[in-house]
Amino acid sequence: TFTAWCNSHLRKAGTQIENIEEDFRDGLKLMLLLEVISGERLAKPERGKMRVHKISNVNKALDFIASKGVKLVSIGAEEIVDGNVKMTLGMIWTIILRFAIQDISVEETSAKEGLLLWCQRKTAPYKNVNIQNFHISWKDGLGFCALIHRHRPELIDYGKLRKDDPLTNLNTAFDVAEKYLDIPKMLDAEDIVGTARPDEKAIMTYVSSFYHAFSGAQKAETAANRICKVLAVNQENEQLMEDYEKLASDLLEWIRRTIPWLENRVPENTMHAMQQKLEDFRDYRRLHKPPKVQEKCQLEINFNTLQTKLRLSNRPAFMPSEGRMVSDINNAWGCLEQVEKGYEEWLLNEIRRLERLDHLAEKFRQKASIHEAWTDGKEAMLRQKDYETATLSEIKALLKKHEAFESDLAAHQDRVEQIAAIAQELNELDYYDSPSVNARCQKICDQWDNLGALTQKRREALERTEKLLETIDQLYLEYAKRAAPFNNWMEGAMEDLQDTFIVHTIEEIQGLTTAHEQFKATLPDADKERLAILGIHNEVSKIVQTYHVNMAGTNPYTTITPQEINGKWDHVRQLVPRRDQALTEEHARQQHNERLRKQFGAQANVIGPWIQTKMEEIGRISIEMHGTLEDQLSHLRQYEKSIVNYKPKIDQLEGDHQLIQEALIFDNKHTNYTMEHIRVGWEQLLTTIARTINEVENQILTRDAKGISQEQMNEFRASFNHFDRDHSGTLGPEEFKACLISLGYDIGNDPQGEAEFARIMSIVDPNRLGVVTFQAFIDFMSRETADTDTADQVMASFKILAGDKNYITVDELRRELPPDQAEYCIARMAPYTGPDSVPGALDYMSFSTALYGESDL
C-alpha cells in the first residue's frame, strides 16, 4: 500500500520505486517525493555514494518533515540508510498522515475523525453500507463502490452489487479507481477478504486518495452547505413574517369587534341589566383583555426580533402588509383604550342614575298611594247637599267641619307639589316608565284641582247659610281645630318615619340620625298636645253628661275621633324603634363601606408607588452595565419573575375593587389611585420588562452573529451611556456624533465630514425621528466590520454546484441539497433563458439576487 501511494506521486516526477526500504536508503527519491507532495523545493541533495552523503540527504528530508510541525519519534537518518524496514515504514506513514490526511477537516474535526465523518456522510444514502471504522467496515467492498458511485454514478452500476460477493465489489472499485480516477491499486481484494481485520493504516491511506480525488466534489459540498444555510435563514424569516401577519390580523380583528361593543352607550331600563353590563366589562378587563395585551407585546417583540435577524443576515427590512404595521396596531389599541376609558364611568353613572330613579319611583308611588287614600271619597263628601235640611247648629257644624277640611286640604298641598316634583325629576332623568308616572300624576293633579273647585263651591254655599246659624259648641270647634293639625302632624310623622332613604357616606347617615333624634325630642310635647286634645273631648263628654245635651255622641265638626288619635299615636310610637333599627343598619353598612374604602386605599397606596418604582428600576437596568449580556438577561428574567409573582396582589386589589363596586361606592378619599390607574400601570410594567428583555436578547443575537466580544459590547454601552446624559435611552444627533468621535471616527466639521455623518444618520435613523437607539447604534458598529453572506457569495456557491455553468438543473439541485431546500429552490427559481440554455435549466443568478432583496423573489 505504501509503495503504491509513493509511486502515485513519484510518477509525476518520472520515476518509481520497487522496494521502500532499499530505494529510499540514499535519500534522493525520498527528497524528490517530499518535493512532489508539498510543492516546495528542498535543499540541494548530495550526489556522492558514500554513507555520509546518504545520511546527509535523509537528514535534509527529516528536517523538512519536522519543519512542517511533525514530531519524528525514534526515527533517525542512520536507521533509514541501514534499510530498517520498521523505521522506514513508520516514516512513510508519518508523511502520509501529514500530507494526505492531516489537512482533511469536516465540521471542525480533523485527520482520522474528519476522514471517517466524510465517508459516513457520502455513503449514508446507500443500503448495506455502514462505515464505523477503517478496517472491517470496508471488507465487503460496498463502501469503496458507494464513494465512487456518489461522485461518478456513471462508472458503477451500484444496484447490481451484492453484499455477499466482496471480492467482486472490491476488484470493481479498485479497477475503476485505477482506470478512471488515477488512483493506483494500493490493496489486493484477496488480502482484505482473507484477513479478519484489514490493516487500518492501509485502508486510511487508500481512502484518503479517494478523498483527494473527489476534492472538486468537496468544494461542491461546501458550496451546498453555504446555500443551505442561506436558504434556512430565508425560510425561517418567511415563517416569522407569516406568523407576524396572522397575529397582527387576529389582534386587529379582535379590536375591530371590541370597539363597537365599548362604544354602545345605550342604557338598560333596569338596575339588574346595567349591573350585568358592568359584570361583562369586568370579565373583559380580567379575562379577555390581558391575553390581548400579552399578544400585542409579543407582536412587537416578534417584529423587533425579525428585523434584527433580517439585519444580521443582510436581508432587507420586513415591511408588513397594508394596515398591519406595529404603528397601526398601536393606533388601533389607542382607539380601543380611548373608547374603554369612558365606558366604565358611563356604566357607573347609569347605575347611579337607575338607583336614583328606582328610589324616586318608589317614593312617588308611596306618596301617591297615601294621597290617593286620603282623597278617596272626598269628592262625594264635597258634593253633599246635607246643609239644605240641617238645623242651625248642624249648619254651623258643617261650616266648621268644612273649615277643618280646608285646613286639612291646605296641609296636603305640599304632598301634591312633592308628587309633581318627583314626577318631573323622573321625566328629566329619562325614567323608562315615565308615561304611567305622568298619567298617575296628571290624574292626582286634575283631582286636586277638582277638589279645590268643589271646596270653594261648598264653602260659598255654607257661608251663604252661615248667617242663619247661631251658636256652635266651642269645645267641639277647639277640639276639631287642634285635632286636625295634630292628626296631620301624626300622619306626616308616620310618613317621614316610613320614608325610604339612600345615602353614600357616614356623614349622610349621621345627618339622618341627628334629624331622627331631634324628632324624638319633640315627642314629649306632642304627647302633651295629645293629652290636651283628649282633655277637650273629655270636657265635652262631661258637659253632655252634666246637661244632657243630645249630640248623638259625635263631634259634628270633625271626623277625627279620640280612638283614631290614640291609634295613630300608638302607630307613631311603634314606627320610632323601627326607624332606629333602619338607621342603625344603614350606619353599619356605611361603616362597612368605609372599611372597604380604607382596605382598597391601603393596598392601592402601596401597589401604585411599587409599580412606579419598578418602572424606574427597569429604566435604570436598561442603561446600566453589570456583567455580561447573559448576566443582564438572567437578572432581567429574575426581575420579571419577581414582577409576575406580584400578580396575586393585583388580583386581590381587583377583588376589593369589585366589592366596592358591588356595594355601590363611587368615591374614595383614602387614595388618589383608581383601579384603572393600577391596571394601566401594571400593563405598562409587564410590557416594559418584556421589551427590555427583548432588547438584551437582540443585543446577544447581534453580538454572536457579528462576532462582537463582551469587551466591545461593554465599550459600546459605556460610550452610549456617557453621552446619554438625560438617561432617555437614546442619543440626539450631536450626542451621537460626539459618541462616534470618542470611538475613533474621523467626522470633521468640513463638508466631507458632514456628508459622512449624514450617511451614518440615514443608517441609524432611517425614519428621521431625530434620535438613535442603542440597538441601532450597536447594529451600525457591528455592521462596519462584520463579514456577512452576500448575494455574490451565494451565486458563486451555486456556480460550483452547477459545474461552472451559468444555469443549474433540477437533478443537480436534488443531488447536492437536502430535499426540502432543493424543492424550495426549484419552486422559486426562474427558467434560464441564456444562449447556452438546455431544457429545464434554472436561473440561479436572479434567485441569489432576490434572496438579498435586490429584486423580487
Side-chain angles (χ1 to χ4, degrees), residues 359-376 411-423 425-426 437 440-441 444-445 447-448 491-501 579:
H359 173 70
L360 286 174
E362 178 60 28
K363 199 164 189 175
F364 173 85
R365 287 190 289 270
Q366 187 182 66
K367 287 184 177 294
S369 297
I370 292 172
H371 179 75
E372 288 164 347
W374 179 82
T375 59
D376 184 43
H412 280 78
Q413 177 70 33
D414 287 341
R415 183 180 292 117
V416 174
E417 291 175 354
Q418 290 174 8
I419 290 171
I422 294 171
E425 189 171 358
L426 287 171
V437 170
R440 189 172 183 182
C441 180
I444 289 173
C445 291
Q447 185 187 44
W448 183 256
E491 288 182 346
M494 288 188 290
E495 181 178 345
D496 291 339
L497 289 170
Q498 297 177 86
D499 189 19
T500 59
F501 54 83
R579 185 73 167 186

Side-chain angles (χ1 to χ4, degrees), residues 358-553:
D358 287 346
H359 173 70
L360 286 174
E362 178 60 28
K363 199 164 189 175
F364 173 85
R365 287 190 289 270
Q366 187 182 66
K367 287 184 177 294
S369 297
I370 292 172
H371 179 75
E372 288 164 347
W374 179 82
T375 59
D376 184 43
K378 294 296 189 293
E379 289 184 12
M381 180 194 74
L382 291 171
R383 287 191 175 95
Q384 288 178 353
K385 300 290 183 70
D386 52 345
Y387 54 84
E388 294 179 348
T389 57
T391 63
L392 185 61
S393 60
E394 288 173 342
I395 292 300
K396 287 283 187 180
L398 288 176
L399 184 58
K400 297 304 180 182
K401 181 178 179 181
H402 188 71
E403 288 177 355
F405 173 75
E406 283 183 324
S407 176
D408 200 9
L409 185 69
H412 280 78
Q413 177 70 33
D414 287 341
R415 183 180 292 117
V416 174
E417 291 175 354
Q418 290 174 8
I419 290 171
I422 294 171
Q424 178 63 28
E425 189 171 358
L426 287 171
N427 278 281
E428 290 172 354
L429 293 177
D430 197 24
Y431 182 53
Y432 76 97
D433 199 22
S434 288
S436 65
V437 170
N438 292 337
R440 189 172 183 182
C441 180
Q442 188 62 47
K443 182 179 178 182
I444 289 173
C445 291
D446 291 345
Q447 185 187 44
W448 183 256
D449 292 339
N450 193 33
L451 283 175
L454 290 174
T455 299
Q456 182 64 27
K457 185 178 179 180
R458 183 173 175 84
R459 165 175 274 281
E460 290 171 356
L462 290 172
E463 285 178 346
R464 282 194 305 269
T465 314
E466 183 183 21
K467 295 176 183 179
L468 303 173
L469 304 178
E470 291 182 355
T471 184
I472 200 82
D473 191 337
Q474 292 300 319
L475 287 175
Y476 271 124
L477 181 58
E478 185 180 357
Y479 174 91
K481 286 183 176 181
R482 295 180 71 172
F486 184 71
N487 182 67
N488 189 57
W489 176 86
M490 286 193 297
E491 288 182 346
M494 288 188 290
E495 181 178 345
D496 291 339
L497 289 170
Q498 297 177 86
D499 189 19
T500 59
F501 54 83
I502 177 171
V503 295
H504 296 98
T505 65
I506 288 288
E507 290 75 16
E508 291 177 1
I509 191 63
Q510 287 175 341
L512 289 178
T513 302
T514 300
H516 182 60
E517 292 300 323
Q518 291 172 350
F519 166 77
K520 289 196 294 183
T522 66
L523 290 179
D525 290 339
D527 193 33
K528 290 179 181 178
E529 177 66 10
R530 179 182 68 89
L531 294 174
I533 293 171
L534 294 178
I536 294 172
H537 179 78
N538 292 335
E539 186 68 21
V540 170
S541 298
K542 289 179 181 179
I543 294 172
V544 169
Q545 292 175 3
T546 302
Y547 298 100
H548 305 287
V549 177
N550 185 16
M551 298 297 296

Side-chain angles (χ1 to χ4, degrees), residues 17 216 271 282 415 511 537 586 618 686 690 797 827 845:
I17 61 172
M271 176 76 80
R282 289 199 195 104
R415 183 180 292 117
H537 179 78
E586 182 60 29
I618 292 171
L686 292 178
S797 298
M845 295 185 183

Side-chain angles (χ1 to χ4, degrees), residues 587-813:
H587 191 271
R589 189 175 78 87
Q590 289 303 324
Q591 286 180 321
H592 173 71
N593 289 354
E594 186 67 9
R595 285 195 298 273
L596 290 179
R597 289 188 183 95
K598 290 181 179 178
Q599 182 175 328
F600 177 87
Q603 290 189 80
N605 290 336
V606 172
I607 292 174
W610 182 88
I611 290 175
Q612 182 61 36
T613 299
K614 293 301 176 185
M615 289 287 288
E616 293 171 357
E617 289 176 357
I618 292 171
R620 287 197 298 274
I621 291 172
S622 65
I623 64 173
E624 293 175 353
M625 291 185 303
H626 296 294
T628 64
L629 288 176
E630 284 77 9
D631 294 338
Q632 294 178 35
L633 183 60
S634 175
H635 181 51
L636 282 170
R637 284 179 174 154
Q638 288 296 323
Y639 209 78
E640 181 183 40
K641 184 177 179 182
S642 70
I643 289 173
V644 171
N645 289 340
Y646 202 76
K647 181 63 163 58
K649 295 185 182 296
I650 305 296
D651 294 338
Q652 181 181 352
L653 192 65
E654 282 281 8
D656 291 344
H657 178 62
Q658 181 173 343
L659 292 176
I660 281 179
Q661 288 191 331
E662 289 172 350
L664 300 177
I665 299 171
F666 301 108
D667 54 13
N668 193 342
K669 64 183 179 181
H670 300 292
T671 180
N672 292 325
Y673 292 98
T674 66
M675 196 64 233
E676 182 64 23
H677 291 150
I678 300 299
R679 289 170 184 153
V680 171
W682 176 251
E683 291 169 2
Q684 288 178 345
L685 180 61
L686 292 178
T687 300
T688 300
I689 187 65
R691 283 176 178 162
T692 305
I693 288 173
N694 180 242
E695 288 174 1
V696 176
E697 290 173 339
N698 285 342
Q699 290 173 26
I700 292 173
L701 277 175
T702 302
R703 182 199 66 191
D704 295 345
K706 300 300 185 178
I708 302 173
S709 67
Q710 185 63 47
E711 290 74 17
Q712 287 176 305
M713 186 65 75
N714 290 343
E715 181 184 3
F716 293 159
R717 170 56 83 182
S719 299
F720 189 92
N721 288 348
H722 177 75
F723 292 98
D724 180 19
R725 294 182 173 88
D726 60 355
H727 304 296
S728 64
T730 60
L731 299 180
E734 292 305 316
E735 293 174 330
F736 178 56
K737 179 186 283 188
C739 184
L740 289 178
I741 293 173
S742 74
L743 291 172
Y745 277 77
D746 185 12
I747 303 176
N749 292 324
D750 55 358
Q752 182 177 354
E754 293 297 331
E756 172 63 10
F757 183 64
R759 179 191 71 81
I760 294 174
M761 281 299 293
S762 68
I763 295 173
V764 298
D765 183 22
N767 297 324
R768 299 182 180 179
L769 300 177
V771 294
V772 180
T773 65
F774 182 66
Q775 185 63 43
F777 172 67
I778 61 172
D779 282 347
F780 169 75
M781 296 304 297
S782 60
R783 191 182 307 167
E784 292 294 290
T785 56
D787 180 22
T788 59
D789 288 323
T790 65
D792 290 339
Q793 289 174 326
V794 176
M795 206 179 300
S797 298
F798 272 117
K799 192 163 188 175
I800 293 173
L801 298 187
D804 260 359
K805 300 191 299 295
N806 291 325
Y807 60 84
I808 194 166
T809 67
V810 171
D811 291 340
E812 287 170 335
L813 286 170

Side-chain angles (χ1 to χ4, degrees), residues 3 6-7 10 15-33 54 57-58 80-85 88 91-92:
T3 301
C6 291
N7 284 332
L10 285 172
T15 186
Q16 296 280 281
I17 61 172
E18 297 294 336
N19 185 292
I20 285 181
E21 62 268 26
E22 291 297 331
D23 291 348
F24 283 156
R25 290 177 64 178
D26 61 3
L28 294 174
K29 288 187 177 180
L30 177 59
M31 294 177 68
L32 183 61
L33 173 65
K54 297 177 182 180
N57 289 336
V58 173
I80 305 301
V81 172
D82 291 340
N84 186 316
V85 177
T88 303
M91 177 189 66
I92 297 301

